[in-house]
């Protein structure tokens, strides 16, 4: 018997189900199942063992879960099961008749795990995102709690698909949308990422929410410009994240006699050498989530080309054949040579964890890493702009969007409006490691890093992140730019990588 883990359990079951097949939402088939009997979980019970006992099949535990969750909505003496693998002694189950269970299994679609979670008097709210790490979920859960208080009759389904930067989520979501099996709302980066979902076909504008909530008055102009695509708003932003942050472990810096964070790439490598000499692993690098390498490289590009030069890469003003791009590639190659060799086996969160645990000294990562430091209650960390980027803020923003076929559109719209509210943003962002998208948040609720980020956002040159949906079309960002960078991380062939980056820009419509 395992212990209930409220925070992660729903994520786990959904991640499991969703990683096998695309998810969807529809009216839950559990609604009609009555309890033929109740059962109280005893030691050494497992749901599959119980389904074998009641229905003669170890695979028939889904109706037990669905019926119990549905019953829980009216009667809290029944359990709420987030994850079929995490149940506890003493929980009361609703056991439908064999006929009801079989009927449920006939229509149950594992692509539609929402059916397992019951439906309140006002239906469900299925929220799709890739926020499965500690700081990410902690933040999201704050908005869920607020939503639940305001909409007690709606059952919230947290439909996450793990994989940083949405590497797995985006493709699976598109399949769901095309198949007519949409969540009610989903995580969408501000910027050109919306093109992934054929705006107007699978995702619809939320201009009316901007009007009714007065959002044009509370979000900054730079961000509004990033959010507008073909004259419409497609998502309501919940935050502003910064891509170009160098995180470091203070104890390890002290151990190696390093007084200040490196500001330039020369200083960075000198620092890395000192750390090595002191027996400290200088750099933690991830790669398993499929975005960490291209993320690091965008920050190296910004630091090498400067704000205008970097921005120009995405508008045709800066040529990818520029000698500074060559410099950036050489710097990246050198950076990798200081990092853990197993970077392909580590997610961004695992790489951050190395810094938290004092197993590596530095890591370049977006400030969702601040959410991880906060969740781990770590105070032994410092930060700086990644080398060469002082005065530059490589920006991205998470928003919530509305699928054309959201099964519960009224609930979805209430959620999207709430994501833009002051209360939601003040509760979400301090845990997530981002600053508010709104301009009127109370900064005293934010930690020192976030206060510094807010100050920088107000005065820095703002440039768009390519890895997180803002700077380029999805095709260019992934097939062109990212593929070239990921290949380069293995091959180390600078000329070949630069030629591939040039070709990607040409392919995107920017003759070089
Ligand atoms: C980004 C996203 C952040 C964070 C990060 C790691 O794309 O905007 O909110 O979740 O990925 O998954």
């Amino acid at each position: 018997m395992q212990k209930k883990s409220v925070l992660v359990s729903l994520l786990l079951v959904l991640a499991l189900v969703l990683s096998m097949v695309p998810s969807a939402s529809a009216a839950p088939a559990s609604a009609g199942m009555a309890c033929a009997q109740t059962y109280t979980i005893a030691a050494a019970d497992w749901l599959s063992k119980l389904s074998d006992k009641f229905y003669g099949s170890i695979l028939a535990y889904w109706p037990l879960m669905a019926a119990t969750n549905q019953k829980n909505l009216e009667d809290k003496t029944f359990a709420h099961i987030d994850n079929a693998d995490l149940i506890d002694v003493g929980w009361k189950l609703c056991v439908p008749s064999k006929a009801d269970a079989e009927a449920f299994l006939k229509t149950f679609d594992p692509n539609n795990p929402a059916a397992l979670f019951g439906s309140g008097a006002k239906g469900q709210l299925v929220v799709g995102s890739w926020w499965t790490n500690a700081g990410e979920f902690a933040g999201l859960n704050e908005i869920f709690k607020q939503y639940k208080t305001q909409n007690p009759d709606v059952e919230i389904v947290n439909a996450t698909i793990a994989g940083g930067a949405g590497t797995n989520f985006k493709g699976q979501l598109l399949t769901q949308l095309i198949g007519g099996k949409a969540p009610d709302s989903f995580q969408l980066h501000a910027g050109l990422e919306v093109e992934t979902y054929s705006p107007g076909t699978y995702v619809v504008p939320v201009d009316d929410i901007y009007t009714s909530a007065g959002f044009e008055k509370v979000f900054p102009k730079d961000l509004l410009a990033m959010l507008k695509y073909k004259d419409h708003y497609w998502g309501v932003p919940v935050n502003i994240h910064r891509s170009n942050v160098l995180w470091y472990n203070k104890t390890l810096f002290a151990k190696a006699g390093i007084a200040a964070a490196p500001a330039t790439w020369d200083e960075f490598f000198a620092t890395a050498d000192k750390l090595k000499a002191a027996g400290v692993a200088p750099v933690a690098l991830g790669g398993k989530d499929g975005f960490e390498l291209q993320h690091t490289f965008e920050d190296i590009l910004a630091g090498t080309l400067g704000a205008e030069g970097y921005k120009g890469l995405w508008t045709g003003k800066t040529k990818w054949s520029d000698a500074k791009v060559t410099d950036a590639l050489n710097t990246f190659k050198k950076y990798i040579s200081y990092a853990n060799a197993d970077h392909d086996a580590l997610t961004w969160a695992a790489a951050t964890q190395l810094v938290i645990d004092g197993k590596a000294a530095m890591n370049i990562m977006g400030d969702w890493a601040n959410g991880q430091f906060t969740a781990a209650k770590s105070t032994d960390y410092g930060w700086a702009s990644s080398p060469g980027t002082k005065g530059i803020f490589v920006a991205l923003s998470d928003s919530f969007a509305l699928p054309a076929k959201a099964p519960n559109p009224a609930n979805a719209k209430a959620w999207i409006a709430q994501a833009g509210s002051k209360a939601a943003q003040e509760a979400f962002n301090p845990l997530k490691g981002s600053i508010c998208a709104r301009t009127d948040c109370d900064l005293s609720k934010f930690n020192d890093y976030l206060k510094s980020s807010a100050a920088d956002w107000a005065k820095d040159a703002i440039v768009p992140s390519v890895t997180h949906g803002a700077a380029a079309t999805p095709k260019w960002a992934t097939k062109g730019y990212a593929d070239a960078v990921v290949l380069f991380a293995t091959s180390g062939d600078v000329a070949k990588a630069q030629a591939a980056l040039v070709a990607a820009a040409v392919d995107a419509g920017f003759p070089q």
Side-chain angles (χ1 to χ4, degrees):
M1 176 69 53
Q2 296 186 21
K3 283 277 167 222
K4 180 185 180 191
S5 162
V6 176
L7 289 192
V8 295
S9 51
L10 178 54
L11 299 172
L12 289 176
V13 71
L14 284 171
L16 264 176
V17 176
L18 296 172
S19 64
M20 291 186 287
V21 265
S23 143
S25 163
S30 56
M33 285 194 288
C35 310
Q37 57 177 298
T38 63
Y39 179 83
T40 304
I41 298 197
D45 272 346
W46 291 96
L47 271 196
S48 53
K49 190 169 146 189
L50 295 175
S51 75
D52 189 30
K53 170 181 159 119
F54 295 122
Y55 309 126
S57 163
I58 54 165
L59 296 175
Y61 55 85
W62 277 332
L64 282 176
M65 181 170 168
T68 302
N69 282 341
Q70 183 62 41
K71 200 74 189 151
N72 165 276
L73 293 174
E74 317 143 16
D75 179 351
K76 296 295 174 210
T77 65
F78 284 87
H80 180 88
I81 307 171
D82 288 338
N83 181 337
D85 287 335
L86 297 174
I87 57 172
D88 222 340
V89 174
W91 282 11
K92 187 161 112 185
L93 301 184
C94 165
V95 182
S97 68
K98 193 165 185 211
D100 276 357
E102 281 170 0
F104 175 86
L105 284 168
K106 266 197 195 122
T107 56
F108 177 66
D109 177 0
N111 299 354
N112 178 12
L116 295 174
F117 296 98
S119 180
K122 297 214 168 131
Q124 292 183 324
L125 169 76
V126 183
V127 178
S129 82
W130 59 86
W131 286 336
T132 57
N133 287 297
E136 298 174 331
F137 179 68
L140 181 60
N141 201 36
E142 289 301 310
I143 320 185
F144 284 160
K145 282 196 265 177
Q146 292 181 2
Y147 186 90
K148 192 73 188 169
T149 307
Q150 285 164 29
N151 304 276
D153 295 330
V154 175
E155 183 64 3
I156 298 171
V157 178
N158 182 22
T160 51
I161 299 175
T167 343
N168 303 321
F169 177 84
K170 291 177 199 170
Q172 293 191 31
L173 174 69
L174 181 61
T175 310
Q176 292 169 17
L177 296 178
I178 293 171
K181 294 173 170 180
D184 289 306
S185 181
F186 67 91
Q187 183 185 354
L188 173 72
H189 283 129
L192 292 168
E193 186 172 296
V194 68
E195 286 188 356
T196 311
Y197 309 113
S198 307
T201 305
Y202 301 126
V203 55
V204 290
V206 289
D207 300 340
D208 52 337
I209 303 179
Y210 273 71
T211 309
S212 56
F215 282 153
E216 282 193 321
K217 292 193 200 92
V218 295
F219 299 138
K221 291 222 156 39
D222 274 330
L223 181 59
L224 287 168
M226 228 192 240
L227 287 156
K228 215 166 212 183
Y229 176 84
K230 297 206 168 151
D231 276 339
H232 293 291
Y233 295 115
W234 303 89
V236 167
V238 70
N239 65 3
I240 293 163
H241 264 308
R242 184 175 196 168
S243 156
N244 57 317
V245 189
L246 172 74
W247 306 97
Y248 61 91
N249 180 295
K250 281 189 186 168
T251 301
L252 295 181
F253 264 32
K255 182 176 170 192
I258 297 156
T264 64
W265 279 108
D266 284 346
E267 285 177 23
F268 179 88
F269 292 119
T271 302
D273 285 333
K274 272 195 191 171
L275 287 160
K276 265 174 110 172
V280 172
V283 175
L285 178 62
K288 192 177 178 194
D289 279 345
F291 82 94
E292 297 89 337
L293 298 170
Q294 57 269 40
H295 177 111
T296 308
F297 188 60
E298 77 179 21
D299 295 332
I300 296 176
L301 283 171
T304 311
L305 288 124
E308 285 310 304
Y310 169 86
K311 261 200 280 185
L313 290 171
W314 312 109
T315 62
K317 272 197 188 155
T318 307
K319 303 286 176 237
W320 282 87
S321 52
D322 195 293
K324 286 188 176 159
V325 174
T326 323
D327 287 352
L329 285 163
N330 280 314
T331 301
F332 187 37
K333 190 169 167 174
K334 195 165 173 189
Y335 181 85
I336 293 172
S337 75
Y338 281 84
N340 44 300
D342 66 345
H343 49 83
D344 279 350
L346 296 190
T347 63
W348 72 265
T352 300
Q353 195 63 40
L354 291 178
V355 180
I356 294 174
D357 292 343
K359 293 186 177 146
M362 302 186 281
N363 174 234
I364 292 177
M365 188 36 64
D367 48 13
W368 38 94
N370 188 251
Q372 292 298 100
F373 284 110
T374 303
K377 300 197 170 22
S378 166
T379 50
D380 188 24
Y381 70 100
W383 62 88
S385 312
S386 60
T389 64
K390 194 165 172 45
I392 303 175
F393 193 116
V394 184
L396 60 130
S397 168
D398 295 299
S399 77
F400 280 100
L402 182 63
K405 291 197 176 152
N408 303 280
N411 297 346
K413 285 187 171 189
W415 164 259
I416 292 166
Q418 190 175 348
S421 73
K422 188 167 183 284
Q425 302 208 353
E426 286 180 347
F428 170 82
N429 286 300
L431 299 172
K432 179 68 171 68
S434 35
I435 54 172
C436 288
R438 298 177 66 104
T439 50
D440 58 357
C441 282
D442 175 1
L443 264 188
S444 71
K445 298 185 170 161
F446 290 72
N447 66 21
D448 286 349
Y449 164 73
L450 292 168
K451 284 183 184 128
S452 80
S453 174
D456 289 348
W457 168 259
K459 64 176 166 42
D460 281 2
I462 309 297
V463 303
S465 160
V466 62
T467 307
H468 305 280
T473 58
K475 185 173 168 233
W476 188 7
T478 57
K479 292 279 151 269
Y481 166 81
D483 282 0
V485 175
V486 170
L487 259 180
F488 172 66
T490 310
S491 77
D493 187 333
V494 173
K496 203 168 164 193
Q498 191 157 9
L501 290 166
V502 168
V506 173
D507 194 45
F510 296 103
Q512 298 285 299

